[in-house]
Amino acid sequence: MNVPDDVLDLARRAREITVLTGAGMSAESGLATFRDAQTGLWANQDPASLATPEAWEADPARVWAWYRWRMTLMTRAQPNAGHRALAEWSEAGDAHLWVVTQNVDDLHERAGSDVLAHLHGSIFALRCSRCGQDADAVGEPLTEPVERLDPPVCVHCGGLVRPGIVWFGEALPQDALERAEAATLSADLVFVIGTSGIVYPAAGLPIMAHHRGVPVVEINPEETDLSDIATATWRVPAGEALPALLTALRENTA
Ligand code: APR
């Protein structure tokens, strides 16, 4: 696959790169994105009926069943060639890559990347919904989806254990957001990979970079809300683009 000249040129010059990833980054690992019309996670579901504190209050067993099944799918999934290429690029040492992800899976880490910020939390970082303490009791693994499943109970206070993710209407983890903003402000290039760019404040990061004159490269097969501010766009899947980019960078320095 040919790497567009503008993308290669920007990548070759950059030394501090912030990479913002979204669900499309994990699509080639078999994990559904949120907003694909036919197959996206929300295709037959109203997000507000599952991914909000109100949904949890109303019916924790329904919400827990859904997330417990997603944990199974994420555990089964493997990092794809895009995750691996990012990790290898970082290890190569020519540039520093700061990975900021909206994804609650751990595929970047399992590919070998250090993730600077999980802006929307991690599905595996369980905590008590009442006292907030970390919890590790996840219960029996699910082998198939179920409609309802009682959440585990907190060993400290007896409250219900919830996934450590950010639901609609909840604040992002402040420390993660601050790290992501700092990395974006100090970057000389921002990659935006596999996100529709409609959920804030995450989508505000590349916009912030753009306003400061930092080039933004978008890798996404589809046009997005961030395409207009991108200096360069590359309309290919991340799992094809990133290995090709890494190969081209290596050829360039060879
Ligand atoms: N490579 C790159 N991009 C891809 C690929 C791929 N193989 N496949 C799909 N995409 C793109 C889609 O074109 C789309 O623009 O990934 C994007 C996925 O968008 P969303 O499903 O909206 O996911 P995301 O942007 O991560 O959602 C943001 O919304 O529901 C909340 O908290 C949830 O973190 C999530 C946030």
Side-chain angles (χ1 to χ4, degrees):
M1 173 182 289
N2 278 339
V3 181
D5 287 343
D6 50 358
V7 174
L8 181 58
D9 195 44
L10 288 165
R12 193 165 44 81
R13 290 160 187 254
R15 292 292 166 266
E16 295 284 332
I17 304 174
T18 296
V19 183
L20 174 67
T21 66
M25 184 79 222
S26 298
E28 288 152 277
S29 295
L31 298 176
T33 62
F34 291 92
R35 294 173 185 85
D36 284 348
Q38 301 302 320
T39 58
L41 273 176
W42 304 141
N44 302 310
Q45 298 274 7
D46 173 7
S49 78
L50 284 167
T52 63
E54 292 76 20
W56 173 260
E57 288 298 321
D59 193 348
R62 180 163 169 269
V63 175
W64 179 253
W66 198 66
Y67 282 103
R68 191 67 193 84
W69 178 239
R70 287 193 64 203
M71 279 184 225
T72 298
L73 296 178
M74 289 178 180
T75 304
R76 285 182 189 167
Q78 296 300 322
N80 64 52
H83 294 109
R84 290 195 298 272
L86 279 181
E88 281 176 40
W89 188 3
S90 193
E91 276 165 22
D94 297 329
H96 197 106
L97 266 67
W98 303 103
V99 177
V100 174
T101 188
Q102 299 167 86
N103 298 343
V104 298
D105 64 49
D106 59 356
L107 295 178
H108 281 301
E109 287 93 336
R110 281 160 56 199
S113 285
D114 288 329
V115 174
L116 179 72
H118 271 278
L119 290 176
H120 296 165
S122 164
I123 199 166
F124 302 107
L126 306 175
R127 68 170 190 271
C128 175
S129 60
R130 188 194 291 163
C131 73
Q133 295 222 46
D134 292 347
D136 40 39
V138 69
E140 287 300 305
L142 281 188
T143 52
E144 56 185 36
V146 293
E147 284 279 312
R148 308 172 56 75
L149 186 68
D150 286 333
V153 170
C154 172
V155 294
H156 304 289
C157 77
L160 297 181
V161 170
R162 57 164 281 179
I165 67 171
V166 178
W167 282 327
F168 290 106
E170 290 187 320
L172 273 62
Q174 191 60 29
D175 51 345
L177 185 58
E178 282 171 8
R179 285 196 300 275
E181 284 172 346
T184 305
L185 290 176
S186 64
D188 49 23
L189 178 62
V190 171
F191 269 88
V192 184
I193 306 175
T195 178
S196 55
I198 62 174
V199 173
Y200 284 76
L205 293 170
I207 296 173
M208 186 169 85
H210 169 69
H211 286 316
R212 292 174 61 94
V214 177
V216 175
V217 174
E218 178 176 72
I219 297 179
N220 195 313
E222 309 287 335
E223 189 170 334
T224 74
D225 281 16
L226 294 170
S227 299
D228 278 351
I229 59 117
T231 317
T233 53
W234 192 7
R235 298 264 165 261
V236 285
E240 295 172 32
L242 291 166
L245 178 58
L246 189 63
T247 303
L249 286 169
R250 283 177 174 155
E251 283 167 1
N252 227 274
T253 52

